[in-house]
Amino acid sequence: MVEGETVDRRYLRMPHVERGMTVGLFGGSFNPPHEGHLLVAEIAMRRLALDNLWWMVTPGNPLKSRSELTSLSDRIAASEKLIDDPRIKVTAFEQAFDTRFTADTVAHVATRNPGIRFVWIMGADSLKTFHLWQNWRQIVATFPIAVIDRPGATLSFLSSTMARAYDHARIDEEDAAGLALRPAPAWTFLHDRRSSISSTQLRAKARQKT
């Protein structure tokens, strides 16, 4: 977060959930958020039969440069502007917990939300480098994972280190609606509509206009 930046406190708390709910966790820099991100969230809501989805705007990705990272408050505001489904909750609670790694985030979520069924959601482009994430096996062991197809990444469910290591835990996408009910490790790859829009392309276009 930019020094001196103020973020509304409501975004620094985990969204309210009720015991027994199924909730998707969709984290990213969202720099900027775009229709491709929204499509992933909508597919996850529909195919996984989720009650809510937490759109987690992260302070920053340890694997990515921060040189072009806009303020957390701006990325929250842009996310809110993009989303019109009240079941999708924009949050930046990772900032309050000062967590840098996803493994720490999912541990916090699991500890503070007993009785809630969570699914970690990510685009297939992230699956290719998932094994580079800090304590990635701990993430797999904490919550079921749904990987959503992205252009150019369709075969990642066959070639990635995670997919090979946990092939025994992959369930057919036809059974995805029950993924949240399964104990980890469990994951699925969802083929659906895809968007070619990327944050990298949008930032490049923005630079050309300046």
Side-chain angles (χ1 to χ4, degrees), residues 127-203:
L127 182 61
K128 292 185 291 186
T129 57
F130 187 65
H131 64 287
L132 300 178
W133 295 19
Q134 184 85 358
N135 296 328
W136 66 276
R137 289 181 182 273
Q138 179 183 324
I139 302 169
V140 180
T142 304
F143 294 139
I145 296 174
V147 182
I148 315 296
D149 198 7
R150 289 277 292 154
T154 302
L155 296 181
S156 60
F157 79 102
L158 294 175
S159 60
S160 72
T161 298
M162 182 281 223
R164 294 198 305 270
Y166 289 92
D167 181 65
H168 65 283
R170 182 162 69 95
I171 70 169
D172 194 284
E173 63 180 299
E174 293 181 359
D175 300 319
L179 180 64
L181 305 179
R182 293 175 178 263
W187 68 284
T188 193
F189 191 103
L190 300 180
H191 298 84
D192 212 294
R193 291 168 50 220
R194 298 181 298 175
S195 170
S196 61
I197 301 174
S198 75
S199 295
T200 301
Q201 292 171 340
L202 293 176
R203 290 196 301 271

Coordinates of all heavy atoms in Angstrom, one line a residue, residues 127-203:
L127 N -1.8 -21.3 -12.8 CA -1.5 -22.7 -12.5 C -0.1 -23.1 -13.0 O 0.6 -23.9 -12.3 CB -2.5 -23.7 -13.1 CG -2.3 -25.2 -12.8 CD1 -2.4 -25.5 -11.4 CD2 -3.4 -26.0 -13.6
K128 N 0.3 -22.5 -14.1 CA 1.7 -22.8 -14.6 C 2.8 -22.5 -13.7 O 3.8 -23.2 -13.7 CB 1.8 -22.1 -16.0 CG 0.9 -22.6 -17.1 CD 1.2 -21.9 -18.4 CE 0.8 -20.4 -18.4 NZ 1.0 -19.8 -19.7
T129 N 2.6 -21.5 -12.9 CA 3.7 -21.1 -11.9 C 3.3 -21.3 -10.5 O 4.0 -20.8 -9.6 CB 4.1 -19.6 -12.1 OG1 2.9 -18.8 -11.9 CG2 4.6 -19.3 -13.5
F130 N 2.3 -22.0 -10.3 CA 1.8 -22.2 -8.9 C 2.8 -22.8 -8.0 O 2.9 -22.5 -6.8 CB 0.5 -23.1 -8.9 CG -0.2 -23.2 -7.6 CD1 -0.7 -22.1 -7.0 CD2 -0.3 -24.5 -7.0 CE1 -1.4 -22.3 -5.7 CE2 -0.9 -24.6 -5.8 CZ -1.5 -23.5 -5.2
H131 N 3.7 -23.7 -8.5 CA 4.7 -24.4 -7.7 C 5.8 -23.5 -7.3 O 6.6 -23.8 -6.4 CB 5.3 -25.6 -8.5 CG 6.0 -25.1 -9.7 ND1 5.4 -24.7 -10.9 CD2 7.4 -25.1 -10.0 CE1 6.3 -24.4 -11.8 NE2 7.5 -24.6 -11.3
L132 N 5.8 -22.2 -7.8 CA 6.8 -21.2 -7.3 C 6.2 -20.4 -6.1 O 7.0 -19.6 -5.5 CB 7.1 -20.3 -8.5 CG 7.7 -20.9 -9.7 CD1 8.0 -19.9 -10.8 CD2 9.0 -21.7 -9.4
W133 N 5.0 -20.6 -5.8 CA 4.4 -19.8 -4.7 C 4.9 -20.4 -3.4 O 5.2 -21.6 -3.3 CB 2.9 -20.0 -4.7 CG 2.1 -19.4 -5.9 CD1 2.7 -19.0 -7.1 CD2 0.8 -19.0 -6.0 NE1 1.7 -18.5 -7.9 CE2 0.5 -18.5 -7.3 CE3 -0.3 -19.2 -5.1 CZ2 -0.7 -18.1 -7.7 CZ3 -1.6 -18.8 -5.5 CH2 -1.8 -18.2 -6.8
Q134 N 5.1 -19.5 -2.4 CA 5.6 -19.9 -1.1 C 4.7 -20.9 -0.5 O 3.5 -20.7 -0.4 CB 5.7 -18.7 -0.2 CG 6.3 -18.9 1.2 CD 7.8 -18.8 1.1 OE1 8.4 -18.6 0.1 NE2 8.4 -19.0 2.3
N135 N 5.2 -22.1 -0.1 CA 4.5 -23.1 0.6 C 3.2 -23.5 -0.2 O 2.1 -23.7 0.4 CB 4.1 -22.7 2.0 CG 5.3 -22.5 2.9 OD1 6.3 -23.1 2.8 ND2 5.1 -21.5 3.8
W136 N 3.4 -23.7 -1.5 CA 2.3 -24.0 -2.4 C 1.5 -25.3 -2.0 O 0.3 -25.4 -2.1 CB 2.7 -24.0 -3.8 CG 3.6 -25.2 -4.2 CD1 4.9 -25.2 -4.1 CD2 3.2 -26.4 -4.8 NE1 5.5 -26.4 -4.6 CE2 4.4 -27.1 -5.0 CE3 2.0 -27.0 -5.2 CZ2 4.4 -28.4 -5.6 CZ3 2.0 -28.2 -5.8 CH2 3.2 -28.9 -6.0
R137 N 2.3 -26.3 -1.5 CA 1.6 -27.5 -1.1 C 0.7 -27.3 0.1 O -0.3 -28.1 0.3 CB 2.7 -28.6 -0.8 CG 3.4 -29.1 -2.1 CD 4.4 -30.2 -1.7 NE 5.1 -30.7 -2.9 CZ 4.7 -31.6 -3.7 NH1 3.6 -32.3 -3.5 NH2 5.4 -32.0 -4.8
Q138 N 1.1 -26.4 1.0 CA 0.2 -26.1 2.1 C -1.1 -25.5 1.6 O -2.2 -25.8 2.2 CB 0.9 -25.1 3.0 CG 0.1 -24.6 4.2 CD 0.8 -23.6 5.0 OE1 2.0 -23.6 5.2 NE2 0.0 -22.7 5.6
I139 N -1.1 -24.7 0.6 CA -2.3 -24.2 0.0 C -3.2 -25.3 -0.5 O -4.4 -25.4 -0.2 CB -2.0 -23.2 -1.2 CG1 -1.1 -22.1 -0.7 CG2 -3.3 -22.7 -1.8 CD1 -0.6 -21.2 -1.8
V140 N -2.6 -26.3 -1.2 CA -3.4 -27.4 -1.8 C -4.0 -28.2 -0.7 O -5.1 -28.8 -0.8 CB -2.4 -28.3 -2.7 CG1 -3.2 -29.5 -3.2 CG2 -1.8 -27.5 -3.8
A141 N -3.3 -28.3 0.5 CA -3.7 -29.1 1.6 C -4.8 -28.4 2.4 O -5.4 -29.1 3.3 CB -2.5 -29.5 2.5
T142 N -5.0 -27.1 2.2 CA -5.9 -26.4 3.1 C -7.3 -26.3 2.5 O -8.3 -26.6 3.2 CB -5.4 -24.9 3.3 OG1 -4.1 -25.0 3.9 CG2 -6.3 -24.2 4.2
F143 N -7.4 -25.9 1.2 CA -8.8 -25.8 0.6 C -8.8 -26.5 -0.8 O -7.8 -26.5 -1.5 CB -9.1 -24.3 0.4 CG -9.3 -23.5 1.6 CD1 -8.8 -22.2 1.7 CD2 -10.0 -24.0 2.7 CE1 -9.0 -21.4 2.9 CE2 -10.2 -23.3 3.9 CZ -9.7 -22.0 3.9
P144 N -10.0 -26.9 -1.2 CA -10.1 -27.4 -2.6 C -9.8 -26.2 -3.5 O -9.9 -25.1 -3.2 CB -11.6 -27.8 -2.7 CG -12.0 -28.1 -1.3 CD -11.2 -27.1 -0.5
I145 N -9.4 -26.5 -4.7 CA -9.0 -25.5 -5.7 C -9.7 -25.7 -7.0 O -9.8 -26.8 -7.5 CB -7.4 -25.6 -6.0 CG1 -6.7 -25.3 -4.7 CG2 -7.0 -24.6 -7.1 CD1 -5.2 -25.5 -4.8
A146 N -10.2 -24.6 -7.6 CA -10.8 -24.6 -8.9 C -10.0 -23.7 -9.8 O -9.7 -22.6 -9.5 CB -12.2 -24.0 -8.8
V147 N -9.5 -24.3 -10.9 CA -8.7 -23.6 -11.9 C -9.6 -23.3 -13.1 O -10.2 -24.2 -13.7 CB -7.5 -24.5 -12.3 CG1 -6.7 -23.7 -13.3 CG2 -6.7 -24.9 -11.1
I148 N -9.7 -22.1 -13.5 CA -10.6 -21.6 -14.5 C -9.8 -21.4 -15.8 O -8.7 -20.7 -15.8 CB -11.3 -20.3 -14.2 CG1 -11.9 -20.4 -12.8 CG2 -12.4 -20.0 -15.2 CD1 -13.0 -21.4 -12.6
D149 N -10.2 -22.0 -16.9 CA -9.5 -21.9 -18.2 C -9.2 -20.4 -18.6 O -10.1 -19.6 -18.4 CB -10.2 -22.6 -19.3 CG -9.4 -22.9 -20.5 OD1 -8.2 -22.7 -20.4 OD2 -10.0 -23.4 -21.5
R150 N -8.0 -20.2 -19.1 CA -7.7 -18.9 -19.7 C -7.0 -19.1 -21.0 O -6.4 -20.1 -21.3 CB -6.7 -18.2 -18.7 CG -7.4 -17.7 -17.4 CD -8.1 -16.4 -17.6 NE -7.1 -15.3 -17.8 CZ -7.4 -14.2 -18.5 NH1 -8.6 -14.0 -19.0 NH2 -6.5 -13.2 -18.7
P151 N -7.2 -18.1 -21.9 CA -6.5 -18.3 -23.3 C -5.0 -18.5 -23.2 O -4.3 -17.9 -22.4 CB -6.8 -16.9 -23.9 CG -8.0 -16.4 -23.2 CD -7.9 -16.8 -21.8
G152 N -4.6 -19.5 -23.9 CA -3.2 -19.9 -23.9 C -2.7 -20.8 -22.8 O -1.6 -21.1 -22.7
A153 N -3.7 -21.1 -21.9 CA -3.3 -21.9 -20.7 C -4.1 -23.2 -20.5 O -4.0 -23.8 -19.5 CB -3.4 -21.0 -19.5
T154 N -4.8 -23.5 -21.6 CA -5.7 -24.7 -21.5 C -5.0 -26.0 -21.1 O -5.5 -26.8 -20.3 CB -6.5 -24.9 -22.8 OG1 -7.2 -23.7 -23.1 CG2 -7.4 -26.0 -22.7
L155 N -3.8 -26.2 -21.6 CA -3.1 -27.4 -21.4 C -2.3 -27.4 -20.1 O -1.6 -28.4 -19.7 CB -2.1 -27.7 -22.5 CG -2.8 -28.0 -23.9 CD1 -1.8 -28.3 -25.0 CD2 -3.8 -29.1 -23.8
S156 N -2.4 -26.3 -19.3 CA -1.6 -26.2 -18.1 C -2.0 -27.3 -17.0 O -1.3 -27.7 -16.2 CB -1.7 -24.8 -17.4 OG -3.1 -24.5 -17.1
F157 N -3.3 -27.7 -17.2 CA -3.7 -28.8 -16.2 C -3.1 -30.1 -16.5 O -3.2 -31.0 -15.7 CB -5.3 -28.9 -16.2 CG -5.9 -29.7 -17.4 CD1 -6.3 -31.0 -17.2 CD2 -6.0 -29.1 -18.6 CE1 -6.8 -31.7 -18.2 CE2 -6.5 -29.8 -19.7 CZ -7.0 -31.1 -19.5
L158 N -2.4 -30.2 -17.6 CA -1.7 -31.4 -17.9 C -0.2 -31.3 -17.6 O 0.5 -32.2 -17.2 CB -1.9 -31.8 -19.4 CG -3.3 -32.2 -19.8 CD1 -3.3 -32.5 -21.3 CD2 -3.7 -33.5 -19.1
S159 N 0.4 -30.1 -17.9 CA 1.8 -29.9 -17.9 C 2.4 -29.3 -16.6 O 3.6 -29.3 -16.3 CB 2.2 -29.0 -19.1 OG 1.6 -27.7 -19.0
S160 N 1.5 -28.6 -15.8 CA 2.1 -27.9 -14.6 C 2.5 -28.9 -13.5 O 2.1 -30.0 -13.4 CB 1.0 -27.0 -14.0 OG 0.0 -27.7 -13.4
T161 N 3.5 -28.4 -12.7 CA 4.0 -29.2 -11.6 C 2.9 -29.6 -10.6 O 2.8 -30.7 -10.2 CB 5.1 -28.4 -10.9 OG1 6.2 -28.1 -11.8 CG2 5.6 -29.2 -9.7
M162 N 2.0 -28.6 -10.3 CA 0.9 -28.9 -9.4 C 0.0 -30.0 -9.9 O -0.4 -30.9 -9.2 CB 0.1 -27.6 -9.1 CG -1.0 -27.8 -8.0 SD -2.5 -28.6 -8.7 CE -3.7 -27.6 -8.0
A163 N -0.4 -29.9 -11.2 CA -1.3 -30.8 -11.8 C -0.8 -32.2 -11.8 O -1.5 -33.2 -11.6 CB -1.7 -30.4 -13.2
R164 N 0.5 -32.3 -12.1 CA 1.2 -33.6 -12.1 C 1.3 -34.2 -10.7 O 1.0 -35.4 -10.5 CB 2.5 -33.6 -12.8 CG 2.5 -33.2 -14.3 CD 3.8 -33.6 -14.9 NE 5.0 -33.0 -14.3 CZ 5.5 -31.8 -14.6 NH1 4.9 -31.1 -15.6 NH2 6.5 -31.3 -14.0
A165 N 1.6 -33.4 -9.8 CA 1.8 -33.8 -8.4 C 0.5 -34.3 -7.7 O 0.5 -35.2 -6.9 CB 2.5 -32.8 -7.5
Y166 N -0.6 -33.6 -8.1 CA -1.9 -33.9 -7.5 C -2.9 -34.4 -8.5 O -4.1 -34.2 -8.3 CB -2.4 -32.6 -6.8 CG -1.6 -32.3 -5.6 CD1 -0.5 -31.4 -5.7 CD2 -1.9 -32.9 -4.3 CE1 0.2 -31.1 -4.5 CE2 -1.2 -32.5 -3.2 CZ -0.1 -31.7 -3.3 OH 0.6 -31.4 -2.2
D167 N -2.4 -35.2 -9.5 CA -3.3 -35.7 -10.5 C -4.4 -36.6 -9.8 O -5.5 -36.7 -10.2 CB -2.5 -36.5 -11.5 CG -3.4 -37.1 -12.6 OD1 -4.1 -36.4 -13.3 OD2 -3.5 -38.4 -12.6
H168 N -3.9 -37.3 -8.8 CA -4.8 -38.2 -8.0 C -6.0 -37.5 -7.3 O -7.0 -38.1 -7.0 CB -4.0 -39.0 -7.0 CG -3.5 -38.2 -5.9 ND1 -2.4 -37.4 -6.1 CD2 -3.9 -37.9 -4.6 CE1 -2.1 -36.7 -4.9 NE2 -3.0 -37.0 -4.1
A169 N -5.8 -36.2 -7.1 CA -6.8 -35.4 -6.4 C -7.7 -34.6 -7.3 O -8.6 -33.9 -6.8 CB -6.1 -34.5 -5.4
R170 N -7.5 -34.7 -8.6 CA -8.3 -34.0 -9.6 C -9.7 -34.7 -9.8 O -9.7 -35.9 -10.0 CB -7.6 -33.8 -10.9 CG -8.4 -33.0 -11.9 CD -7.6 -32.4 -13.0 NE -7.1 -33.5 -13.9 CZ -7.7 -33.9 -15.1 NH1 -8.8 -33.2 -15.4 NH2 -7.2 -34.8 -15.8
I171 N -10.8 -33.9 -9.7 CA -12.1 -34.4 -9.9 C -12.6 -33.9 -11.3 O -12.2 -32.9 -11.8 CB -13.1 -34.0 -8.8 CG1 -13.4 -32.5 -8.9 CG2 -12.5 -34.4 -7.5 CD1 -14.6 -32.2 -8.0
D172 N -13.5 -34.6 -11.9 CA -14.1 -34.3 -13.2 C -14.9 -33.0 -13.0 O -15.5 -32.7 -12.0 CB -15.0 -35.4 -13.7 CG -15.4 -35.2 -15.1 OD1 -16.2 -34.3 -15.4 OD2 -14.8 -35.9 -16.0
E173 N -14.8 -32.1 -14.0 CA -15.4 -30.8 -13.9 C -17.0 -31.0 -13.9 O -17.6 -30.0 -13.4 CB -15.0 -29.9 -15.0 CG -15.4 -30.3 -16.4 CD -14.9 -29.3 -17.5 OE1 -15.4 -28.1 -17.4 OE2 -14.0 -29.6 -18.3
E174 N -17.5 -32.1 -14.3 CA -18.9 -32.3 -14.2 C -19.4 -32.4 -12.7 O -20.5 -32.2 -12.4 CB -19.3 -33.6 -15.0 CG -19.1 -33.5 -16.5 CD -19.6 -34.7 -17.2 OE1 -20.0 -35.7 -16.5 OE2 -19.5 -34.8 -18.4
D175 N -18.4 -32.7 -11.9 CA -18.7 -32.8 -10.4 C -18.3 -31.5 -9.7 O -18.2 -31.6 -8.4 CB -18.0 -34.0 -9.8 CG -18.4 -35.3 -10.5 OD1 -19.6 -35.5 -10.7 OD2 -17.6 -36.2 -10.8
A176 N -18.0 -30.5 -10.4 CA -17.5 -29.2 -9.8 C -18.4 -28.6 -8.7 O -17.9 -28.0 -7.7 CB -17.1 -28.2 -10.8
A177 N -19.7 -28.8 -8.9 CA -20.6 -28.2 -7.9 C -20.5 -28.7 -6.5 O -20.9 -28.1 -5.6 CB -22.1 -28.4 -8.4
G178 N -19.8 -29.9 -6.4 CA -19.6 -30.5 -5.1 C -18.2 -30.3 -4.6 O -17.9 -30.9 -3.6
L179 N -17.4 -29.6 -5.3 CA -16.0 -29.5 -4.9 C -15.8 -28.9 -3.5 O -14.9 -29.4 -2.8 CB -15.2 -28.5 -5.9 CG -13.7 -28.3 -5.7 CD1 -13.0 -29.6 -5.8 CD2 -13.2 -27.2 -6.6
A180 N -16.6 -27.9 -3.1 CA -16.4 -27.3 -1.8 C -16.7 -28.3 -0.7 O -16.2 -28.1 0.5 CB -17.4 -26.1 -1.7
L181 N -17.4 -29.4 -1.0 CA -17.8 -30.3 0.1 C -16.7 -31.4 0.2 O -16.7 -32.2 1.2 CB -19.1 -31.1 -0.3 CG -20.3 -30.2 -0.6 CD1 -21.5 -31.0 -1.0 CD2 -20.6 -29.3 0.6
R182 N -15.7 -31.4 -0.6 CA -14.6 -32.4 -0.6 C -13.5 -31.9 0.3 O -13.1 -30.7 0.3 CB -14.1 -32.7 -2.0 CG -15.1 -33.4 -2.9 CD -14.6 -33.5 -4.3 NE -15.5 -34.2 -5.1 CZ -15.5 -35.5 -5.4 NH1 -14.5 -36.3 -4.9 NH2 -16.3 -36.1 -6.2
P183 N -12.9 -32.8 1.0 CA -11.7 -32.4 1.8 C -10.5 -32.2 0.9 O -10.3 -32.9 -0.1 CB -11.5 -33.6 2.7 CG -12.1 -34.8 2.0 CD -13.2 -34.2 1.2
A184 N -9.6 -31.3 1.2 CA -8.4 -31.1 0.5 C -7.4 -32.2 0.8 O -7.5 -32.8 1.9 CB -7.8 -29.7 0.9
P185 N -6.6 -32.6 -0.2 CA -6.5 -32.0 -1.5 C -7.6 -32.4 -2.5 O -7.9 -33.6 -2.5 CB -5.1 -32.4 -2.0 CG -4.9 -33.7 -1.3 CD -5.5 -33.6 0.0
A186 N -8.1 -31.5 -3.2 CA -9.1 -31.8 -4.3 C -9.1 -30.6 -5.2 O -9.1 -29.4 -4.7 CB -10.5 -32.0 -3.7
W187 N -9.1 -30.8 -6.5 CA -9.1 -29.7 -7.4 C -9.8 -30.1 -8.7 O -9.9 -31.3 -9.0 CB -7.7 -29.2 -7.7 CG -6.8 -30.1 -8.4 CD1 -6.2 -31.2 -8.0 CD2 -6.4 -30.0 -9.8 NE1 -5.4 -31.8 -9.0 CE2 -5.5 -31.1 -10.1 CE3 -6.7 -29.1 -10.8 CZ2 -5.0 -31.2 -11.4 CZ3 -6.1 -29.3 -12.1 CH2 -5.3 -30.3 -12.3
T188 N -10.2 -29.1 -9.5 CA -10.8 -29.4 -10.8 C -10.4 -28.3 -11.8 O -10.0 -27.2 -11.3 CB -12.3 -29.4 -10.7 OG1 -12.8 -30.0 -11.9 CG2 -12.9 -28.1 -10.4
F189 N -10.5 -28.6 -13.0 CA -10.2 -27.6 -14.1 C -11.4 -27.4 -14.9 O -12.1 -28.3 -15.4 CB -9.1 -28.2 -15.0 CG -8.5 -27.1 -16.0 CD1 -7.3 -26.6 -15.8 CD2 -9.2 -26.8 -17.1 CE1 -6.7 -25.7 -16.7 CE2 -8.7 -25.8 -18.0 CZ -7.4 -25.3 -17.8
L190 N -11.9 -26.1 -14.9 CA -13.1 -25.8 -15.6 C -12.9 -25.1 -16.9 O -12.3 -24.1 -17.1 CB -13.9 -24.8 -14.7 CG -14.3 -25.3 -13.3 CD1 -15.1 -24.3 -12.5 CD2 -15.1 -26.6 -13.3
H191 N -13.4 -25.8 -18.0 CA -13.5 -25.2 -19.3 C -14.8 -24.4 -19.5 O -15.8 -24.9 -19.1 CB -13.4 -26.3 -20.4 CG -12.1 -27.2 -20.3 ND1 -12.0 -28.2 -19.4 CD2 -11.0 -27.1 -21.0 CE1 -10.8 -28.8 -19.6 NE2 -10.2 -28.1 -20.5
D192 N -14.7 -23.2 -20.0 CA -15.9 -22.4 -20.1 C -15.5 -21.2 -21.0 O -14.5 -21.3 -21.7 CB -16.3 -21.9 -18.7 CG -17.8 -21.7 -18.6 OD1 -18.3 -20.8 -19.4 OD2 -18.5 -22.4 -17.8
R193 N -16.3 -20.2 -21.1 CA -16.0 -19.0 -21.9 C -14.7 -18.4 -21.4 O -14.4 -18.5 -20.2 CB -17.2 -18.0 -21.7 CG -18.5 -18.4 -22.3 CD -19.6 -17.5 -21.9 NE -19.2 -16.1 -22.1 CZ -19.6 -15.1 -21.2 NH1 -20.2 -15.4 -20.1 NH2 -19.2 -13.9 -21.4
R194 N -14.0 -17.8 -22.3 CA -12.7 -17.3 -22.0 C -12.6 -15.8 -22.5 O -13.2 -15.5 -23.5 CB -11.6 -18.1 -22.6 CG -11.5 -19.5 -22.1 CD -10.3 -20.3 -22.7 NE -10.5 -20.4 -24.1 CZ -9.5 -20.9 -24.9 NH1 -8.4 -21.4 -24.4 NH2 -9.7 -21.0 -26.2
S195 N -11.9 -15.0 -21.8 CA -11.6 -13.6 -22.3 C -10.1 -13.4 -22.5 O -9.3 -13.9 -21.7 CB -12.1 -12.6 -21.2 OG -11.7 -11.3 -21.5
S196 N -9.8 -12.8 -23.6 CA -8.4 -12.6 -23.9 C -7.8 -11.3 -23.3 O -6.6 -11.0 -23.4 CB -8.2 -12.5 -25.4 OG -9.0 -11.4 -26.0
I197 N -8.7 -10.6 -22.6 CA -8.2 -9.3 -21.9 C -7.3 -9.7 -20.8 O -7.4 -10.6 -20.1 CB -9.4 -8.5 -21.4 CG1 -10.4 -8.2 -22.5 CG2 -9.0 -7.3 -20.6 CD1 -11.7 -7.6 -21.9
S198 N -6.2 -8.9 -20.6 CA -5.3 -9.0 -19.5 C -4.9 -7.7 -18.9 O -5.0 -6.6 -19.6 CB -4.0 -9.8 -20.0 OG -3.2 -8.9 -20.7
S199 N -4.5 -7.7 -17.7 CA -4.1 -6.4 -17.0 C -2.9 -5.9 -17.7 O -2.7 -4.7 -17.8 CB -3.9 -6.7 -15.5 OG -5.1 -7.0 -14.9
T200 N -2.0 -6.8 -18.1 CA -0.7 -6.3 -18.8 C -1.0 -5.5 -20.0 O -0.4 -4.5 -20.3 CB 0.1 -7.6 -19.1 OG1 0.4 -8.3 -17.9 CG2 1.4 -7.1 -19.8
Q201 N -2.0 -6.0 -20.8 CA -2.4 -5.3 -22.1 C -3.0 -4.0 -21.7 O -2.7 -3.0 -22.4 CB -3.4 -6.2 -22.8 CG -2.8 -7.5 -23.4 CD -3.9 -8.4 -24.0 OE1 -5.1 -8.2 -23.7 NE2 -3.5 -9.3 -24.9
L202 N -3.8 -3.9 -20.7 CA -4.5 -2.7 -20.4 C -3.5 -1.6 -19.9 O -3.6 -0.4 -20.2 CB -5.6 -2.9 -19.3 CG -6.8 -3.7 -19.8 CD1 -7.7 -4.0 -18.6 CD2 -7.5 -3.1 -20.9
R203 N -2.5 -2.1 -19.1 CA -1.4 -1.1 -18.6 C -0.6 -0.6 -19.8 O -0.2 0.6 -19.9 CB -0.5 -1.8 -17.6 CG -1.2 -2.1 -16.3 CD -0.2 -2.4 -15.2 NE 0.6 -3.6 -15.5 CZ 0.3 -4.8 -15.2 NH1 -0.8 -5.1 -14.6 NH2 1.1 -5.8 -15.5

